[in-house]
Amino acid sequence: MEDVVVIGAGLSGLTAAGQLHQRGYRVRVVDKSRGLGGRVATRRLATTSLDHGCRYLQPFADPALSPIPALLASGILQPWQPETFALEANGSIRATATATLYAAPQGMSAVAKALAAGLTIHRHWRATALTPMPQGWHIEGEGLGSDSQSEISALEARAVVVAIPAPQAAALVAATAQPHDAISDLVQQLQTVAFDPVITVMAGYSPQTSPWLSQQTAPGGWMVTGDAHPTLGWIALDSSKRPAAKAAEPKESVVVLHSSAEFAAQAIDRPDLESVGQDLLAIAAKPLAPWLSSPEWMQVHRWRYGFVRQPLGVSVLSSPAWPTFVGCGDWCPGGQVEGAIASGHQAAKLIAQALV
Ligand SMILES: Cc1cc2nc3c(=O)[nH]c(=O)nc-3n(C[C@H](O)[C@H](O)[C@H](O)COP(=O)(O)OP(=O)(O)OC[C@H]3O[C@@H](n4cnc5c(N)ncnc54)[C@H](O)[C@@H]3O)c2cc1C
């Protein structure tokens, strides 16, 4: 039996696991994906990488919780200074002040890898049900890979941290073998949380294409936010975050585009994702730059649980009936990566108190 099983290797789960590991607990992290980091996600391509989830980090409101200074010192993060614009609802563009942004030249998933150092992580294993036992928790799951760990059908632990998006946590908690009032209470709380979906387009352009926007005043990186736009949420020259694979060679330009929540809600289940991606690039090309609609290659990803629209409003999900259960993630306090990390810290604190 482990001391703690952490379900979910996103930044909240890795933070909780790291804190508990540092306090001397035996911790095992499980994640259904092959990679680490959840929505802090990097796709590896033949000659480059791109961030199709979290784009950058910004200075934390609470510097005590911020991993940014350590990540800068180790070279994992570097300042990213694109020229920034806002795309208005009517398609007009205006330059905006540049915020302080930090990106990872190797891809943002390097942030997750740094937080995961020293932890025992069981990947490609999806937790399917969670049942309280007199001395802890029984966690059923299924292996999704072909390694020997994938054959494990259940884990047991004195405490459990559920660090997965609230709708998935609700399904996991509801699938218990022992219905209990506290379970219904947790599920009810989880059901108050709402997420917005996002459709992400990744597109590559030949080194011969000039990757500038019509509005740009200086060559280099650019980023456009579309907070008021009905279709486009955000678009940027992702390749400006990283150096060329071979310094002497001209660099392929890579653009990453995130749709608005409104657009994604309508298109998330469309089977023709390729044409959804082409539509989004064509919509971006009109106000920004004609070359955007003619990529050499394109990939599309759907995030069913992209951004938190309605958080739980507290730092973690907990139940007085079960001090050894804690739910954490950005969906608890809101606030994206900073919220996820703050929630992971609080989860570790509560579990450590419950295990003394
Ligand atoms: C497109 C996009 C862009 C973003 N850009 C930014 C940004 O620029 N800056 C910023 O601060 N934030 C950004 N965010 C938000 C940020 O990525 C999240 O707030 C943060 O990564 C959430 O971390 P988390 O640990 O709470 O959840 P997640 O990252 O969602 O981690 C949950 C993990 O649980 C795993 N999992 C789920 N179900 C199970 C199961 N049953 N069993 C095992 N494992 C399971 C998943 O595979 C995943 O790895 C962005 C998000 C998206 C989608």
Side-chain angles (χ1 to χ4, degrees):
M1 183 184 266
E2 307 288 342
D3 288 326
V4 188
V5 165
V6 175
I7 304 171
L11 262 48
S12 63
L14 291 173
T15 301
Q19 292 292 309
L20 288 161
H21 175 71
Q22 271 178 26
R23 293 177 199 216
Y25 292 102
R26 265 172 56 98
V27 183
R28 179 179 293 264
V29 182
V30 298
D31 198 290
K32 67 184 169 77
S33 299
R34 197 157 44 93
L36 293 177
R39 280 170 279 155
V40 177
T42 298
R43 195 162 283 194
R44 309 276 164 208
L45 303 170
T47 56
T48 187
S49 307
L50 60 86
D51 298 319
H52 60 298
C54 178
R55 304 150 290 184
Y56 47 74
L57 299 190
Q58 289 187 268
F60 277 30
D62 181 354
L65 299 180
S66 177
I68 294 173
L71 293 167
L72 284 171
S74 58
I76 290 172
L77 286 183
Q78 281 183 6
W80 180 45
Q81 294 165 312
E83 198 171 349
T84 57
F85 302 91
L87 174 62
E88 305 294 356
N90 62 7
S92 66
I93 314 285
R94 64 183 165 80
T96 56
T98 306
T100 306
L101 310 175
Y102 301 104
Q106 302 303 316
M108 292 299 284
S109 66
V111 171
K113 284 191 192 128
L115 296 185
L119 296 174
T120 303
I121 304 189
H122 191 141
R123 305 181 198 202
H124 252 168
W125 198 82
R126 191 169 77 90
T128 52
L130 199 58
T131 300
M133 307 184 302
Q135 70 281 30
W137 293 87
H138 180 81
I139 303 139
E140 279 169 56
E142 57 184 6
L144 306 171
S146 51
D147 56 352
S148 58
Q149 284 194 332
S150 288
E151 286 161 21
I152 298 172
S153 61
L155 294 167
E156 293 193 345
R158 293 167 64 208
V160 66
V161 176
V162 175
I164 66 181
Q168 293 168 321
L172 177 67
V173 172
T176 177
Q178 285 175 24
H180 190 289
D181 282 352
I183 297 269
S184 334
D185 175 53
L186 289 172
V187 172
Q188 268 176 18
Q189 290 191 61
L190 286 161
Q191 285 170 343
T192 64
V193 174
F195 274 80
D196 279 328
V198 182
I199 292 182
T200 296
V201 185
M202 300 150 260
Y205 301 84
S206 108
Q208 278 70 48
T209 305
S210 150
W212 301 6
L213 299 185
S214 335
Q215 301 80 1
Q216 255 183 297
T217 55
W222 52 266
M223 155 175 129
V224 181
T225 51
D227 297 341
H229 196 271
T231 313
L232 303 176
W234 184 87
I235 176 168
L237 187 64
D238 184 87
S239 45
S240 65
K241 294 178 185 171
R242 43 201 120 253
K246 291 183 188 155
E249 286 182 9
K251 200 168 62 162
E252 177 188 38
S253 300
V254 177
V255 166
V256 175
L257 178 159
H258 299 309
S259 74
S260 67
E262 200 181 337
F263 177 88
Q266 286 168 13
I268 192 89
D269 289 317
R270 269 176 59 178
D272 57 335
L273 267 194
E274 185 89 354
S275 55
V276 172
Q278 277 156 359
D279 289 352
L280 284 166
L281 288 177
I283 290 167
K286 268 194 193 156
L288 297 177
W291 57 267
L292 281 168
S293 59
S294 318
E296 285 198 315
W297 56 263
M298 185 191 70
Q299 296 184 13
V300 186
H301 182 85
R302 50 186 140 208
W303 296 99
R304 201 166 287 282
Y305 308 116
F307 291 102
V308 178
R309 172 160 32 94
Q310 177 61 55
L312 191 62
V314 289
S315 59
V316 290
L317 171 72
S318 59
S319 160
W322 287 320
T324 55
F325 168 99
V326 180
C328 68
D330 60 349
W331 51 271
C332 291
Q336 304 196 35
V337 159
E338 177 164 2
I341 289 180
S343 184
H345 273 276
Q346 183 62 12
K349 212 166 138 187
L350 291 184
I351 293 287
Q353 281 168 8
L355 288 183
V356 284

